[in-house]
Amino acid sequence: IQKAVEKVYSQARSSEVAEFMALHSKEPSEIKMGLVVQRLIDPERAGVVYTGINEGNLLIQYVEGLGSVLVDGETHGSTILLNRDGSIRASTGFETRPISADVIKQIRDSAAIIENLYEGQPQDIEFASVDGQLHILQARRLTADLGQIEIEETPEECLERTKFKFQQIVAQERRELGTQRVVFSDANFSELLPRPTEMDFGVFAYIFTGSDGVPGAIQLGRMEMGYPLGKESIGLMSYVGGKPYFSIARDAATFYAGFPETIREYFSTLVQEYLEAILSDPSKGAYPEMGLYLQDPTLEDLEIRFGDKAPVYFQVYQDFVRGMHQQADSFLDQFRTREFTEMTGFVENKRDMDLSDMTNEELVIHCTGILEHLRTNSCGNFVKSARLGFYYSQRLQTLLRERLRLGADESERVFARLSQGLDGSAITDVNVAIVESETEEEALILARQSVGHFSTGEMLEIRHPRLKDDPTALLAYVRGIRQSEQYREKFEKQRGERLDTQLAILGSLSGQERKELEIVIQSTQTYMALRETVKYLFTQEYSLLRDALQVLGTRLGLEDDDIYFVYPRELPVLVEDPQSLTHLIRSRKQSFANYRQCNLPHVVRESDIDS
């Protein structure tokens, strides 16, 4: 400290100071200088406050950690324009670097005190905050007129914040999972959510992947199936750069079937193997569930990876397989006798409710009820049918290679033929009925009732209108089906090819091998078709949810589609104080426009983030 103090005071005797003082006819010895010595804090947030902006408002620019990176121009940081009443008028980057309401109040109060000390002159104030406590570092008169300030996010700032968001998730994942590598992929979800808003993404995450520490249908459904899942898999998907990226490690955690012995060992062995494979070949992260994850191991596979522990782990796997077979038998019966009736009954009940009679608070309760039913019931059925369908699909491909000695390409072709023209899909049945309607008018009536809940855009981006609300889109759908050159004939041809292929490959085997393959083929076909049926049913609930969101947005006086820039769990806040989310909606809409210029890859490795 002594050396630092001496260094500061020695600057008063430098030649540069002497030359400057000479310009004003003064001697360096006339200088008197105060020196402040204060503890250096390690701030959570640090930045600059400008007072007197836009007729008395505050402009706050800040970053994580020390503020030097902001002052030196190394980053754009985040920005808030604060009204005199303390409410946020506009912001950019607030979500990536949230700052608490209490710290914002301390900034506003301290800025007012400092400005009063200097007789109302606008101030340039540097601050830092840690543990909810504001520290004022320095203040000086604002010498430049900043003019009328309007906060707009540039594409460059959007890209910088996208990188920052990735880096935040990387740090969190390493801290929580202990993994050495972090890889993201949007491939499993990019077709369902190609260009989502916050509500599009938020509804899907709320229902399926879990969010805010609450498990979704993936976790709930798979735990019912015998997967020993923990909190590590919750929130496996994040909204980054306008895309639904999922963490490979957290996604792999939803496939943990009890081997190796602990989830930590799973992360350090098999998951590490998956991550290393994608690092060298990003295409392997495109659809890891169907080729990368080791879900159907042989004893040899496990011996290579776990040595002497392999027999124990293989027994765990065999016990798990028996459980899957029992699930396959019991779930199909359970769905037919109970779940189908429950799902359709729920939709009929909600459909009969008059949204216009509900208060805003009741509309939020109505929306939450639909979300919760999707999370805990309908989409749990989807998860189970999809998991069984994909499990048996992978098992079938393995048997085609092992029992029939088919190469990789040939086994894929045979598998594709065995998976086409499936019986029992509600979507196929409805489309056939539309085709067979005697007139286009009859087909339209049927379609409005049967597929009117389908989205005019992507099925699981909830902001898109439904076919029932867009006569032009509904007519295009009907005509597309009816004019698709013998839709039913094509289906029957695919079905015939499927049955012929099935008969041929089963005829080449006998005994136990034939019986096992027959069971796997039947299970694959049954559950892939059931998956489509359940999807057909749960999208009816999506339609009901959208109807309620539309009414709520209109009631609150929001601009068209603004409610789709709010997350589901923000709805109670939106109803209580719509103005509190105005700056976030505005900021999110700017980002949504800028995301078009962010051409992000389907697979993002940690090493890709900076470039």
Side-chain angles (χ1 to χ4, degrees):
I1 291 178
Q2 178 178 328
K3 289 180 180 178
V5 171
E6 289 173 350
K7 182 179 180 181
V8 171
Y9 276 120
S10 71
Q11 299 304 307
R13 306 292 176 258
S14 67
S15 58
E16 291 85 358
V17 171
E19 291 172 7
F20 181 82
M21 297 303 291
L23 294 174
H24 297 276
S25 302
K26 290 184 179 293
E27 293 293 328
S29 59
E30 298 179 54
I31 293 176
K32 291 183 178 181
M33 180 170 65
L35 176 64
V36 177
V37 179
Q38 64 182 129
R39 178 174 58 89
L40 176 67
I41 63 170
D42 184 14
E44 294 160 0
R45 302 282 184 269
V48 183
V49 182
Y50 301 103
T51 72
I53 303 299
N54 296 1
E55 302 177 357
N57 296 330
L58 299 182
L59 180 67
I60 306 171
Q61 294 180 301
Y62 63 97
V63 294
E64 279 192 337
L66 296 171
S68 57
V69 291
L70 179 66
V71 176
D72 295 342
E74 295 178 25
T75 179
H76 294 98
S78 299
T79 304
I80 298 173
L81 187 60
L82 203 65
N83 287 335
R84 276 184 277 189
D85 64 2
S87 61
I88 300 176
R89 176 182 168 187
S91 68
T92 60
F94 181 82
E95 287 184 278
T96 52
R97 298 180 183 89
I99 190 167
S100 72
D102 185 56
V103 169
I104 289 175
K105 182 179 183 302
Q106 291 179 60
I107 290 173
R108 184 192 65 172
D109 294 346
S110 297
I113 292 170
I114 293 168
E115 200 172 44
N116 287 336
L117 287 172
Y118 289 90
E119 300 177 348
Q121 293 179 340
Q123 297 292 304
D124 173 345
I125 304 167
E126 292 185 18
F127 74 92
S129 68
V130 62
D131 296 331
Q133 177 62 49
L134 181 72
H135 298 259
I136 298 298
L137 307 181
Q138 69 173 33
R140 59 191 172 200
R141 184 166 62 89
L142 185 61
T143 55
D145 183 4
L146 299 183
Q148 189 71 17
I149 297 294
E150 292 295 333
I151 297 177
E152 298 285 343
E153 181 190 72
T154 66
E156 291 75 19
E157 289 172 327
C158 181
L159 180 59
E160 178 185 295
R161 288 175 187 130
T162 296
K163 293 179 180 180
F164 182 72
K165 181 72 175 289
F166 272 128
Q167 290 161 346
Q168 283 182 313
I169 300 170
V170 166
Q172 179 183 5
E173 186 162 313
R174 282 186 163 169
R175 184 173 63 252
E176 293 179 359
L177 305 186
T179 49
Q180 297 177 2
R181 309 285 191 183
V182 181
V183 180
F184 306 92
S185 173
D186 79 331
N188 280 27
F189 304 114
S190 58
E191 292 181 1
L192 299 174
L193 302 166
R195 192 166 181 261
T197 63
E198 280 71 12
M199 185 62 77
D200 294 328
F201 172 85
V203 166
F204 188 92
Y206 185 114
I207 294 168
F208 281 105
T209 65
S211 58
D212 300 307
V214 180
I218 289 176
Q219 290 81 22
L220 297 175
R222 292 189 185 176
M223 282 190 288
E224 287 182 25
M225 298 177 73
Y227 286 87
L229 304 188
K231 64 181 181 180
E232 298 85 1
S233 65
I234 298 175
L236 62 96
M237 195 166 71
S238 302
Y239 186 55
V240 193
K243 286 191 170 190
Y245 280 102
F246 67 92
S247 154
I248 293 290
R250 291 193 190 276
D251 183 56
T254 68
F255 292 87
Y256 176 59
F259 66 92
E261 190 172 356
T262 67
I263 188 69
R264 283 287 165 175
E265 189 181 359
Y266 179 64
F267 280 128
S268 65
T269 54
L270 290 177
V271 175
Q272 185 66 24
E273 176 185 318
Y274 308 149
L275 296 173
E276 294 292 346
I278 298 171
L279 288 175
S280 58
D281 182 2
S283 67
K284 291 183 177 179
Y287 214 126
E289 178 177 348
M290 293 298 290
L292 183 65
Y293 298 160
L294 184 67
Q295 301 175 69
D296 187 26
T298 63
L299 179 59
E300 183 182 7
D301 289 330
L302 296 176
E303 285 174 343
I304 292 171
R305 292 166 173 83
F306 301 109
D308 294 342
K309 294 181 178 179
V312 175
Y313 293 163
F314 190 63
Q315 183 60 52
V316 170
Y317 166 67
Q318 289 179 313
D319 293 341
F320 176 78
V321 168
R322 278 191 287 273
M324 288 292 279
H325 289 319
Q326 292 170 1
Q327 278 286 329
D329 293 336
S330 63
F331 177 63
L332 187 60
D333 181 62
Q334 174 186 327
F335 182 81
R336 288 170 173 169
T337 58
R338 188 178 71 206
E339 297 299 334
F340 178 83
T341 303
E342 199 283 334
M343 288 178 69
T344 54
F346 179 85
V347 169
E348 289 171 5
N349 176 263
K350 293 293 183 183
R351 191 180 283 151
D352 289 340
M353 293 182 175
D354 188 349
L355 301 180
S356 63
D357 282 347
M358 297 182 186
T359 65
N360 291 346
E361 290 76 13
E362 288 170 341
L363 278 171
V364 172
I365 293 171
H366 177 76
C367 289
T368 304
I370 296 172
L371 285 165
E372 281 298 296
H373 188 263
L374 284 162
R375 183 179 75 89
T376 61
N377 184 281
S378 302
C379 291
N381 291 331
F382 178 79
V383 165
K384 292 174 188 175
S385 57
R387 181 80 288 274
L388 288 166
F390 284 121
Y391 168 78
Y392 282 112
S393 293
Q394 187 169 49
R395 181 67 184 147
L396 175 55
Q397 292 180 63
T398 300
L399 291 177
L400 290 175
R401 291 191 298 271
E402 292 179 354
R403 303 290 164 80
L404 301 182
R405 303 292 188 267
L406 300 181
D409 292 342
E410 181 61 20
S411 67
E412 286 184 14
R413 281 193 291 271
V414 172
F415 172 77
R417 188 161 287 189
L418 289 171
S419 307
Q420 68 183 15
L422 298 179
D423 299 308
S425 167
I427 295 176
T428 300
D429 293 344
V430 167
N431 286 340
V432 168
I434 290 172
V435 169
E436 294 183 339
S437 296
E438 291 189 9
T439 66
E440 187 175 272
E441 184 178 352
E442 290 178 359
L444 280 169
I445 293 171
L446 174 63
R448 191 174 293 108
Q449 296 170 343
S450 303
V451 297
H453 60 279
F454 284 4
S455 169
T456 57
E458 292 302 319
M459 191 172 290
L460 297 184
E461 286 186 345
I462 198 165
R463 75 180 189 277
H464 299 292
R466 306 290 116 176
L467 289 178
K468 64 183 174 63
D469 302 319
D470 190 332
T472 302
L474 183 67
L475 179 61
Y477 182 91
V478 167
R479 286 180 174 172
I481 295 292
R482 288 171 68 85
Q483 297 172 3
S484 60
E485 298 180 2
Q486 296 102 18
Y487 180 92
R488 186 180 184 97
E489 285 79 357
K490 277 189 174 180
F491 172 75
E492 291 296 344
K493 180 182 178 183
Q494 289 181 336
R495 183 174 182 274
E497 291 174 346
R498 169 173 62 83
L499 293 173
D500 289 344
T501 302
Q502 184 171 322
L503 189 62
I505 65 172
L506 289 175
S508 65
L509 299 173
S510 60
Q512 184 60 35
E513 286 189 342
R514 176 190 172 105
K515 183 178 179 181
E516 181 183 8
L517 184 58
E518 189 172 16
I519 290 172
V520 171
I521 290 174
Q522 183 179 0
S523 298
T524 300
Q525 295 167 346
T526 297
Y527 282 99
M528 292 307 281
L530 184 61
R531 172 179 177 268
E532 292 305 307
T533 294
V534 179
K535 186 176 181 179
Y536 172 83
L537 292 172
F538 83 65
T539 50
Q540 294 179 4
E541 296 178 47
Y542 257 69
S543 179
L544 294 170
L545 178 60
R546 187 183 189 279
D547 290 343
L549 290 172
Q550 285 288 104
V551 172
L552 189 59
T554 302
R555 290 260 195 94
L556 296 174
L558 301 181
E559 294 183 16
D560 288 347
D561 293 340
D562 272 10
I563 198 163
Y564 298 112
F565 291 91
V566 174
Y567 285 103
R569 287 192 172 90
E570 291 175 335
L571 289 175
V573 177
L574 182 68
V575 167
E576 183 178 349
D577 183 8
Q579 294 303 312
S580 66
L581 294 182
T582 300
H583 74 100
L584 285 178
I585 292 172
R586 182 176 179 273
S587 175
R588 289 165 179 174
K589 289 169 73 174
Q590 287 181 4
S591 295
F592 187 68
N594 284 327
Y595 290 147
R596 286 186 178 275
Q597 299 189 50
C598 291
N599 186 21
L600 304 181
H602 290 301
V603 175
V604 177
R605 300 162 295 184
E606 185 180 350
S607 58
D608 298 324
I609 295 174
D610 287 337
S611 59

Short mmCIF file of all heavy atoms in Angstrom, two decimals, residues 51 98 117 228 257 266 283 323 472 513 527 552 562 577:
data_model
loop_
_atom_site.label_atom_id
_atom_site.label_comp_id
_atom_site.label_asym_id
_atom_site.label_seq_id
_atom_site.Cartn_x
_atom_site.Cartn_y
_atom_site.Cartn_z
N THR A 51 -26.61 10.16 -15.22
CA THR A 51 -27.85 10.77 -14.77
C THR A 51 -28.27 11.87 -15.74
O THR A 51 -27.49 12.30 -16.59
CB THR A 51 -27.70 11.38 -13.36
OG1 THR A 51 -26.88 12.56 -13.44
CG2 THR A 51 -27.06 10.37 -12.40
N PRO A 98 -28.89 -10.49 -15.27
CA PRO A 98 -29.95 -9.87 -14.46
C PRO A 98 -29.36 -9.12 -13.28
O PRO A 98 -28.33 -9.52 -12.72
CB PRO A 98 -30.79 -11.07 -14.01
CG PRO A 98 -29.90 -12.25 -14.13
CD PRO A 98 -28.97 -11.96 -15.28
N LEU A 117 -25.64 16.61 -4.46
CA LEU A 117 -24.40 17.16 -3.92
C LEU A 117 -23.72 18.10 -4.91
O LEU A 117 -23.03 19.05 -4.51
CB LEU A 117 -23.44 16.02 -3.56
CG LEU A 117 -23.78 15.18 -2.31
CD1 LEU A 117 -22.84 14.00 -2.20
CD2 LEU A 117 -23.71 16.05 -1.05
N PRO A 228 -33.37 -44.60 -13.44
CA PRO A 228 -33.09 -43.97 -12.15
C PRO A 228 -32.56 -42.54 -12.34
O PRO A 228 -31.40 -42.24 -12.03
CB PRO A 228 -32.03 -44.90 -11.55
CG PRO A 228 -31.29 -45.43 -12.74
CD PRO A 228 -32.31 -45.55 -13.84
N ALA A 257 -29.48 -45.91 -17.34
CA ALA A 257 -30.31 -47.07 -17.02
C ALA A 257 -29.78 -47.87 -15.84
O ALA A 257 -30.17 -49.02 -15.64
CB ALA A 257 -30.42 -47.98 -18.24
N TYR A 266 -21.09 -42.60 -14.67
CA TYR A 266 -21.70 -42.54 -16.00
C TYR A 266 -21.20 -41.31 -16.76
O TYR A 266 -20.81 -41.39 -17.92
CB TYR A 266 -23.22 -42.50 -15.84
CG TYR A 266 -24.02 -42.41 -17.13
CD1 TYR A 266 -23.99 -43.42 -18.07
CD2 TYR A 266 -24.83 -41.31 -17.37
CE1 TYR A 266 -24.75 -43.34 -19.23
CE2 TYR A 266 -25.59 -41.21 -18.52
CZ TYR A 266 -25.55 -42.24 -19.46
OH TYR A 266 -26.29 -42.14 -20.61
N SER A 283 -21.08 -34.32 -36.56
CA SER A 283 -22.30 -34.91 -37.12
C SER A 283 -22.88 -35.98 -36.19
O SER A 283 -24.07 -36.28 -36.24
CB SER A 283 -22.01 -35.53 -38.50
OG SER A 283 -21.16 -36.66 -38.39
N GLY A 323 -37.60 -55.14 -17.63
CA GLY A 323 -38.53 -54.11 -17.20
C GLY A 323 -39.14 -53.37 -18.38
O GLY A 323 -40.34 -53.04 -18.35
N THR A 472 -58.03 -20.48 -45.12
CA THR A 472 -57.18 -20.67 -46.29
C THR A 472 -56.19 -21.83 -46.06
O THR A 472 -55.99 -22.68 -46.93
CB THR A 472 -56.40 -19.38 -46.62
OG1 THR A 472 -57.34 -18.32 -46.84
CG2 THR A 472 -55.54 -19.57 -47.86
N GLU A 513 -34.60 -67.25 -32.16
CA GLU A 513 -34.17 -66.05 -32.88
C GLU A 513 -35.34 -65.42 -33.64
O GLU A 513 -35.51 -64.21 -33.64
CB GLU A 513 -33.04 -66.40 -33.86
CG GLU A 513 -31.70 -66.65 -33.18
CD GLU A 513 -30.58 -66.78 -34.20
OE1 GLU A 513 -30.88 -67.01 -35.39
OE2 GLU A 513 -29.41 -66.64 -33.80
N TYR A 527 -45.36 -49.07 -31.13
CA TYR A 527 -45.08 -47.87 -30.35
C TYR A 527 -44.71 -46.67 -31.20
O TYR A 527 -44.96 -45.52 -30.79
CB TYR A 527 -44.02 -48.17 -29.28
CG TYR A 527 -44.65 -48.90 -28.14
CD1 TYR A 527 -44.55 -50.28 -28.01
CD2 TYR A 527 -45.44 -48.23 -27.22
CE1 TYR A 527 -45.18 -50.95 -26.98
CE2 TYR A 527 -46.08 -48.89 -26.19
CZ TYR A 527 -45.95 -50.24 -26.08
OH TYR A 527 -46.60 -50.89 -25.07
N LEU A 552 -55.84 -13.60 -23.29
CA LEU A 552 -55.11 -12.90 -22.24
C LEU A 552 -54.31 -11.73 -22.81
O LEU A 552 -54.31 -10.62 -22.25
CB LEU A 552 -54.18 -13.88 -21.52
CG LEU A 552 -53.49 -13.36 -20.25
CD1 LEU A 552 -54.50 -12.92 -19.21
CD2 LEU A 552 -52.57 -14.44 -19.69
N ASP A 562 -47.28 -10.11 -28.77
CA ASP A 562 -46.32 -9.79 -27.70
C ASP A 562 -46.33 -10.83 -26.58
O ASP A 562 -45.30 -11.06 -25.93
CB ASP A 562 -46.62 -8.41 -27.11
CG ASP A 562 -45.91 -7.29 -27.86
OD1 ASP A 562 -45.34 -7.59 -28.94
OD2 ASP A 562 -45.92 -6.15 -27.38
N ASP A 577 -48.65 -7.02 -13.12
CA ASP A 577 -48.05 -5.74 -13.49
C ASP A 577 -47.50 -5.82 -14.91
O ASP A 577 -46.31 -6.08 -15.12
CB ASP A 577 -46.93 -5.38 -12.51
CG ASP A 577 -46.31 -4.01 -12.81
OD1 ASP A 577 -46.85 -3.28 -13.66
OD2 ASP A 577 -45.27 -3.68 -12.19
#
